[in-house]
Amino acid sequence: MEWHVTDAQSLALIDREIGGHTFSPAEYEIVRRVIYATADFDYQSLIRFSDAALQSGAAALAARTTIVVDVPMVQVAIASTIQHTFANPVYCSMDALTRPQKEKTRAAWGIETLARRYPEGVFVIGQSQTALTAIAELIETEDIRPALVIGTPAGFVGADVAKERLADSLVPYITINGRKGSSVVAAAIVNGLVDLAWQAYGQEQLGAS
């Protein structure tokens, strides 16, 4: 991401307001990105990282692993960062060809279809609780083994349960405790992670191109 003067000033304000913390440097970079995108300091205490989530996600991005997202808003929000770095393929659940079904939402069927196609992909669920539930079910039945799942949908019915199921899984994840979350949060996490991965792996990618 290309930072401007106002961005730097805002990040400095965030740093001052947060003060001391227990995040690793990489985790803190993600946290401050989320707070910057939302102006909500609650995320400092709500964001959860599994062990090695950032390492696994960064390595997957550097390997140009496919990214699967639940809604177009996330896809659009991460497109520029992806295109200017690792150029991973990005697919959206809403574009997946599925037969009309009554039992699940379009996002859930679409994410399930793409998950079976890219079982070791990076999954970014920013809005759809039903899509995150579908991913959790596929993980529990060992049909897929994602490199990373970012699950941040907001909601009062089912979203917190879906997030807990993700947190109970054995796959790398980043999620938000409780009811809060959004596609904006998911995109901020992805863009922050891409920048971290580019710092770690970018020269290798440039040398290979």
Side-chain angles (χ1 to χ4, degrees), residues 67-83 89-95 124 183 187 191:
I67 301 170
V68 178
V69 306
D70 63 332
V71 291
M73 181 177 176
V74 175
Q75 186 175 25
V76 171
I78 67 175
S80 178
T81 306
I82 294 294
Q83 289 170 1
V90 181
Y91 297 106
C92 180
S93 71
M94 306 303 282
D95 296 329
V124 186
S183 294
N191 286 330

Side-chain angles (χ1 to χ4, degrees), residues 91-105:
Y91 297 106
C92 180
S93 71
M94 306 303 282
D95 296 329
L97 296 177
T98 60
R99 292 177 298 171
Q101 303 284 349
K102 295 181 179 180
E103 295 85 0
K104 294 184 180 181
T105 65

Side-chain angles (χ1 to χ4, degrees), residues 62 64 201-209:
R64 293 192 168 95
Y201 296 100
Q203 292 303 315
E204 297 177 16
Q205 298 290 329
L206 292 173
S209 60

Side-chain angles (χ1 to χ4, degrees), residues 4 6 14 16 38 40-41 57 72 78 96 101 113-114 116 119 137 139 142 147 181 185 188 204:
H4 300 286
T6 54
I14 291 170
R16 287 199 293 273
T38 62
D40 189 343
F41 281 85
I78 67 175
Q101 303 284 349
T113 299
L114 291 171
R116 294 185 183 280
E137 290 173 350
I139 293 170
E142 299 184 354
V185 172
E204 297 177 16

Side-chain angles (χ1 to χ4, degrees), residues 148-160:
L148 176 67
V149 180
I150 297 170
T152 66
F156 294 95
V157 181
D160 53 346

Side-chain angles (χ1 to χ4, degrees), residues 62-206:
R64 293 192 168 95
T65 299
T66 294
I67 301 170
V68 178
V69 306
D70 63 332
V71 291
M73 181 177 176
V74 175
Q75 186 175 25
V76 171
I78 67 175
S80 178
T81 306
I82 294 294
Q83 289 170 1
H84 288 93
T85 53
F86 301 106
N88 306 66
V90 181
Y91 297 106
C92 180
S93 71
M94 306 303 282
D95 296 329
L97 296 177
T98 60
R99 292 177 298 171
Q101 303 284 349
K102 295 181 179 180
E103 295 85 0
K104 294 184 180 181
T105 65
R106 180 180 173 189
W109 279 114
I111 210 80
E112 183 174 327
T113 299
L114 291 171
R116 294 185 183 280
R117 194 175 301 164
Y118 306 105
E120 298 180 352
V122 173
F123 295 89
V124 186
I125 315 299
Q127 176 175 307
S128 173
Q129 170 262 310
T130 58
L132 185 57
T133 297
I135 288 295
E137 290 173 350
L138 290 171
I139 293 170
E140 290 165 358
T141 56
E142 299 184 354
D143 288 304
I144 64 173
R145 184 71 178 182
L148 176 67
V149 180
I150 297 170
T152 66
F156 294 95
V157 181
D160 53 346
V161 175
K163 293 173 185 176
E164 284 300 325
R165 289 176 71 177
L166 174 62
D168 289 338
S169 72
L170 298 178
V171 304
Y173 68 84
I174 304 172
T175 191
I176 304 297
N177 281 343
R179 296 171 172 177
K180 283 193 174 185
S182 68
S183 294
V184 171
V185 172
I189 293 171
V190 174
N191 286 330
L193 182 56
V194 172
D195 282 353
L196 289 171
W198 190 248
Q199 292 172 29
Y201 296 100
Q203 292 303 315
E204 297 177 16
Q205 298 290 329
L206 292 173

